[in-house]
Amino acid sequence: SAYRPLAFAYDLKGAEGTLYISEHADMTDAREFPMPANRTSCSVDNLKTDTTYYYTVQTEGDVYTGSFQTAQGPRFVKIPGVENTRDIGGYVNLDGKTVRQGLLIRGTEMDGLVEPGYFMDEAAREDVQETFGFVYDFDLRSGTLYNGPYQSRLGEGVGHKFYSAPQYGQIFMADYQKSVREIFRDLADPEKYPMYLHCTYGADRTGTVVFLLQGLLNMPQEDMVREFQMTGFHTKAYRKSDKMDVVISGLANYAGENLQEQIETYLLTTVGVTREQIASIREIFLEE
């Protein structure tokens, strides 16, 4: 895995303490981490990239405060039992706008329907939901995988839908146009965020949908391709970059000065996505 947590080093002279970390200087919504006396560091996971964090350390008699800045770059995240997980936010687009973090986490399946090793148990659910607050399980797999009512591993209150999504060149096949239209219609719904978006391996179908979405967000092509390539850090789901070449070459048949404009034309003219839905997606994800 490419994921590595932050190691918060300390020396409390044999005392125990508690670390609180927040994105806010007033320490609202702070996360809590124990600092055992027999350790000199504690792991802090799932921090956002390029973000200022504030911390407070409390011991029996002392309080220490400070702040730190995380590095800019892709945000890999940790979800127990799940692989290939990262936030599509944190990138800066060609207009200088930043893609918001914490809205869409991509990854593998978490119910073990295809790969038994990809399974998030109930013990992890509370911590996962406390960190990410998912309200929608955006499932790109086929509904034929499961008979009867499906319950997301994320909990009873989390919405779910099977989309039977295409991968790579299948996006140009008429049989999949309805699926792509439904995908982008629901990506335009602000009530479905934060969401966990996945297929089985978080590679082919997930990679294709994220590639199209990032094009709508006017991200640089090199960042779009790099985001796709990063699945290669996860050996069970390795995908070479040339698998996306068929998508790029197919989109070249659509009007536009660049790949980003060609993606928009494809979605508007072939798929039937509306301009209002595209505007909503951009409003959801982009900030100055």
Side-chain angles (χ1 to χ4, degrees), residues 36 42 130 194 224 249 257:
C42 61
E130 183 178 350
M224 295 165 60
S249 61
E257 295 294 323

Side-chain angles (χ1 to χ4, degrees), residues 9-252:
Y10 61 89
D11 182 3
L12 300 181
K13 310 299 183 185
E16 293 188 347
T18 303
L19 169 66
Y20 300 90
I21 292 183
S22 173
E23 293 180 53
H24 312 286
D26 63 2
M27 299 304 294
T28 54
D29 299 321
R31 295 172 62 195
E32 180 178 330
F33 302 88
M35 304 174 74
N38 61 347
R39 300 281 300 276
T40 57
S41 70
C42 61
S43 295
V44 180
D45 58 13
N46 293 323
L47 295 178
K48 294 179 180 178
T49 62
D50 195 23
T51 300
T52 298
Y53 282 93
Y54 302 88
Y55 69 84
T56 297
V57 174
Q58 291 185 349
T59 65
E60 291 182 0
D62 297 296
V63 176
Y64 308 91
T65 61
S67 65
F68 61 90
Q69 177 85 14
T70 55
Q72 190 174 33
R75 184 192 181 200
F76 291 88
V77 301
K78 179 182 180 181
I79 297 178
V82 186
E83 293 192 19
N84 197 17
T85 45
R86 57 189 181 272
D87 193 329
I88 72 159
Y91 291 96
V92 178
N93 77 357
L94 293 170
D95 301 315
K97 296 180 179 180
T98 301
V99 181
R100 290 187 174 95
Q101 298 181 62
L103 291 177
L104 191 159
I105 306 297
R106 57 174 292 178
T108 65
E109 67 179 13
M110 55 176 57
D111 55 16
L113 284 183
V114 179
E115 288 287 348
Y118 298 153
F119 187 82
M120 184 187 73
D121 61 34
E122 293 189 13
R125 179 184 301 155
E126 183 176 349
D127 287 341
V128 168
Q129 286 297 72
E130 183 178 350
T131 300
F132 299 104
F134 294 120
V135 301
Y136 197 68
D137 183 343
F138 207 116
D139 193 338
L140 300 177
R141 300 173 302 175
S142 170
T144 59
L145 282 175
Y146 195 84
N147 294 320
Y150 178 88
Q151 175 62 61
S152 171
R153 297 298 303 166
L154 293 168
E156 293 183 2
V158 175
H160 172 272
K161 182 178 179 181
F162 289 111
Y163 286 88
S164 299
Q167 60 185 3
Y168 308 123
Q170 291 176 339
I171 68 171
F172 304 113
M173 299 169 59
D175 290 347
Y176 285 100
Q177 290 173 12
K178 179 181 177 182
S179 175
V180 178
R181 186 163 58 250
E182 290 179 352
I183 288 167
F184 280 86
R185 178 197 65 197
D186 289 347
L187 287 172
D189 182 356
E191 298 299 317
K192 287 183 165 53
Y193 296 89
M195 66 170 60
Y196 181 69
L197 184 144
H198 67 97
C199 49
T200 298
Y201 300 100
D204 303 308
R205 289 165 288 188
T206 299
T208 301
V209 169
V210 168
F211 190 83
L212 295 175
L213 172 60
Q214 290 179 322
L216 276 191
L217 299 179
N218 203 25
M219 279 180 43
Q221 183 172 339
E222 56 268 31
D223 285 344
M224 295 165 60
V225 172
R226 188 178 300 114
E227 168 65 29
F228 173 72
Q229 290 173 322
M230 282 190 293
T231 288
F233 286 122
H234 303 267
T235 56
K236 290 184 179 179
Y238 178 70
R239 296 297 181 269
K240 295 190 296 183
S241 61
D242 60 7
K243 283 184 170 286
M244 198 58 72
D245 290 348
V246 65
V247 176
I248 296 171
S249 61
L251 289 167

